[in-house]
Amino acid sequence: MQQTGKYILLAGLILVVIGGVVWLLGHKLSFLGRLPGDIRIEKENFSLYIPLTTMILLSLLFSGILWVIRRMIS
């Protein structure tokens, strides 16, 4: 049970750090969501946006961060 508490605390700290980075550097991260491979379809009464490339990059980033954290904990 104590191990679960460590993971929850660590996840919270990571979210705080990510939130701080986005808050402070949000204007410099405006390219996210506008990368090549992100799908945007806009018509008169219809709008569809699927940020494929952005989701893949964020997934790789978070996976790398979690891998490093797991190596540090164990």
Side-chain angles (χ1 to χ4, degrees):
M1 192 66 157
Q2 189 173 359
Q3 193 73 5
T4 304
K6 285 183 184 179
Y7 288 136
I8 292 172
L9 182 62
L10 201 53
L13 290 173
I14 290 169
L15 286 174
V16 167
V17 169
I18 291 172
V21 168
V22 169
W23 181 54
L24 292 172
L25 302 175
H27 61 283
K28 293 185 179 182
L29 299 174
S30 64
F31 65 90
L32 286 176
R34 296 188 172 131
L35 297 172
D38 290 345
I39 299 171
R40 181 182 300 242
I41 300 172
E42 294 180 7
K43 303 216 177 191
E44 285 183 28
N45 296 323
F46 178 74
S47 168
L48 175 68
Y49 177 63
I50 305 171
L52 288 176
T53 306
T54 301
M55 288 188 292
I56 291 169
L57 285 177
L58 290 176
S59 176
L60 290 172
L61 177 69
F62 292 141
S63 294
I65 290 171
L66 289 175
W67 180 80
V68 168
I69 290 170
R70 286 179 62 197
R71 298 282 297 198
M72 290 172 49
I73 290 176
S74 56

